């Protein structure tokens, strides 16, 4: 039987007689890859030795914490050779028109009056 391991703040859950997955205690998040423990029928031992985990180290669960804030920024640009964008004033008009479209269409919900320049 697999016992709760208080050092890694989680426990294993059997998938079947020969494999198990590691689950974290409530409020904790798995820090490594979601590896499957396998039972070696010859040695009768559980193992998670893989190419990415050659030592077979047990997973670690860390206390989950939400981000205080999140932000994302990006730049959209395009070039044109039309007669409409011949100078920076025309470029600014195009930018304003695109922003107005995105704000009113709802297609880019994070662009609104408070976030767009």
């Amino acid at each position: 039987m697999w016992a709760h391991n208080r050092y890694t703040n989680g426990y294993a859950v059997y998938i079947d007689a020969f494999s198990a997955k590691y689950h974290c205690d409530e409020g904790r998040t798995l820090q490594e890859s979601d590896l499957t423990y396998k039972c070696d029928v010859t040695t009768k031992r559980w193992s998670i030795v893989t190419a990415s985990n050659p030592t077979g180290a047990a997973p670690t669960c860390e206390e989950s914490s939400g981000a205080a804030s999140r932000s994302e920024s990006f730049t959209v640009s395009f070039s044109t050779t039309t007669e409409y964008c011949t100078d920076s004033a025309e470029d600014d008009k195009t930018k304003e028109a695109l922003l107005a479209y995105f704000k009113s269409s709802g297609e880019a919900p994070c662009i609104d009056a408070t976030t767009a320049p």
Side-chain angles (χ1 to χ4, degrees):
M1 187 65 141
W2 205 308
H4 175 353
N5 183 339
R6 64 182 149 166
Y7 298 108
T8 56
N9 300 304
Y11 53 95
V13 174
Y14 291 106
I15 297 169
D16 55 35
F18 302 100
S19 59
K21 286 275 191 185
Y22 201 80
H23 288 253
C24 294
D25 293 338
E26 186 174 339
R28 298 192 173 270
T29 304
L30 189 64
Q31 299 301 303
E32 289 85 17
S33 299
D34 188 15
L35 300 173
T36 300
Y37 283 84
K38 296 288 185 184
C39 176
D40 183 325
V41 293
T42 305
T43 64
K44 301 193 183 333
R45 296 189 65 156
W46 290 93
S47 174
I48 54 170
V49 173
T50 64
S52 64
N53 186 19
T55 64
T60 302
C61 297
E62 296 290 331
E63 187 172 359
S64 301
S65 60
S69 66
R70 292 185 173 92
S71 66
E72 182 176 328
S73 64
F74 62 92
T75 302
V76 177
S77 63
F78 64 93
S79 61
T80 181
T81 56
T82 68
E83 61 187 78
Y84 301 112
C85 296
T86 57
D87 57 31
S88 62
E90 291 295 321
D91 288 342
D92 289 344
K93 287 180 187 176
T94 304
K95 177 183 172 184
E96 290 171 18
L98 284 170
L99 286 173
Y101 169 77
F102 284 131
K103 289 176 189 177
S104 66
S105 71
E107 290 186 36
C110 290
I111 296 177
D112 62 27
T114 62
T115 58

